[in-house]
Amino acid sequence: MLGLLEKIEPTLGPQEDAYRTHFLAVDRARAVGSFTLVLILTTVVFALEMTYLDGTQFLRIAIVRILFFAISLGMYAAMRGPTTPALLDRASFWWSTAFSVQLAMPMYLRPPSRADDVGTMLLILAIYALSPASLVERTLPCILLSVGYVIALLLGRDISLMQQLPTIFVLIAMNALGIVASARSHTQRRRQYQSAENLRSAVAERDALIDRLRQSHKMESMGRIVGGVAHDFNNILGTMLASVDFLLEALPGKSTPRADAETIRAAVKRGAELTQQLLAFSRQQVLEPKVVNL
């Protein structure tokens, strides 16, 4: 059964928690709205029951209704503003179950009414349509309500199962319709979320590529600048090196000025080597690999 429901409403796997968290505010608002609407309708029904039930019947019904109101308000106070989808699912499941029980109980305690049939059908559809929980947690309260309704007709109204066959078929059809419709709605929302996430990832990847391309252009521009500066500086060093060579030819050997000139020449050659490396970095000079003895 669980495997069949999983096939009908497939989850997003690892992305399911992120998906539920993304829609947590929407699901919480929907749950609070449906909770408030159901309490209002139950209060209206309770007020109508006061007009035609006798004292004993009304007392029993009042106990059931008051207990349900107390449970509902207690759950609302305890679970107010759930911060995780799991807490919201748990609250939705138990409250739907409590409402199903309080809807079936009056069938044993008061005369039969067509409002019970209508209320049961509407509640089944409402749970499937409004509950934010998973399909399994939406289905269990509806099945419990359907089975409880059939038992209430069998024991409370002495209607045999054969006489209930049309009602049973209607309940099965309502549950099947609710499962398929709600599963389709939730699956569509999951696909929309997945499409939006894929688009967001694609945009983020595109932005990262654009940033890397911009950085590459910056490095290329920097290389051009470095190449231009290194080329001009290399010309200056060439002039300095030629001047030092001329100076060395005019100086006597083993003299202090000649030693200073040779130091200047070595420094200029070192600067020229660094300039060649800068030109190689800027890709304006072909590299000349050499074999060296390590």
Side-chain angles (χ1 to χ4, degrees):
M1 180 64 177
L2 298 179
L4 178 61
L5 294 178
E6 175 64 25
K7 291 181 179 179
I8 294 175
E9 184 182 303
T11 62
L12 294 179
Q15 292 183 328
E16 185 68 18
D17 292 338
Y19 156 75
R20 291 301 311 279
T21 303
H22 178 76
F23 286 100
L24 178 60
V26 177
D27 292 339
R28 186 166 53 196
R30 182 184 298 177
V32 172
S34 59
F35 171 84
T36 305
L37 180 60
V38 166
L39 288 186
I40 292 174
L41 293 177
T42 304
T43 303
V44 172
V45 171
F46 186 39
L48 294 176
E49 289 171 339
M50 295 174 58
T51 61
Y52 70 90
L53 295 179
D54 58 32
T56 303
Q57 293 175 341
F58 176 75
L59 179 60
R60 296 173 181 175
I61 296 297
I63 293 174
V64 174
R65 302 296 189 198
I66 292 173
L67 284 176
F68 171 68
F69 287 143
I71 292 174
S72 298
L73 295 178
M75 289 184 62
Y76 181 78
M79 302 296 295
R80 186 176 183 180
T83 56
T84 62
L87 291 176
L88 183 61
D89 292 350
R90 192 178 303 121
S92 176
F93 171 76
W94 286 112
W95 185 79
S96 300
T97 303
F99 184 72
S100 301
V101 171
Q102 74 89 27
L103 186 66
M105 283 294 295
M107 299 180 190
Y108 296 95
L109 305 176
R110 58 171 168 74
S113 172
R114 297 299 299 177
D116 297 334
D117 304 336
V118 177
T120 301
M121 304 302 175
L122 290 178
L123 178 61
I124 290 175
L125 293 180
I127 292 176
Y128 282 119
L130 299 177
S131 176
S134 64
L135 184 59
V136 175
E137 294 174 327
R138 297 197 304 271
T139 303
L140 290 179
C142 295
I143 293 178
L144 176 63
L145 177 60
S146 302
V147 173
Y149 182 67
V150 171
I151 294 175
L153 294 179
L154 180 65
L155 301 179
R157 301 182 184 178
D158 295 328
I159 301 177
S160 65
L161 289 177
M162 292 299 298
Q163 294 174 323
Q164 292 188 54
L165 284 180
T167 302
I168 294 174
F169 288 147
V170 170
L171 290 173
I172 293 175
M174 296 293 289
N175 279 279
L177 176 63
I179 290 174
V180 173
S182 64
R184 183 173 181 180
S185 176
H186 282 255
T187 300
Q188 184 178 6
R189 192 172 75 163
R190 283 186 174 90
R191 289 175 179 173
Q192 291 174 350
Y193 169 79
Q194 197 169 33
S195 299
E197 285 298 301
N198 292 338
L199 178 60
R200 185 187 62 80
S201 299
V203 171
E205 183 178 359
R206 184 203 64 182
D207 292 341
L209 290 175
I210 291 175
D211 290 340
R212 281 190 285 180
L213 181 60
R214 289 174 178 170
Q215 186 66 23
S216 176
H217 288 167
K218 290 180 180 179
M219 294 300 295
E220 184 178 357
S221 300
M222 183 63 67
R224 291 196 187 100
I225 295 173
V226 170
V229 173
H231 184 73
D232 293 339
F233 189 64
N234 190 49
N235 293 336
I236 296 173
L237 291 177
T239 303
M240 294 175 62
L241 185 60
S243 300
V244 170
D245 288 338
F246 290 145
L247 182 62
L248 287 174
E249 291 178 358
L251 294 174
K254 297 182 180 179
S255 63
T256 302
R258 183 179 183 86
D260 293 337
E262 289 178 350
T263 302
I264 295 173
R265 182 183 182 185
V268 171
K269 285 186 175 181
R270 178 57 182 161
E273 292 176 358
L274 293 176
T275 304
Q276 298 302 319
Q277 293 178 6
L278 290 176
L279 289 173
F281 169 75
S282 64
R283 298 181 182 179
Q284 294 192 8
Q285 178 178 339
V286 180
L287 296 179
E288 297 180 0
K290 296 180 181 180
V291 178
V292 297
N293 184 359
L294 298 180

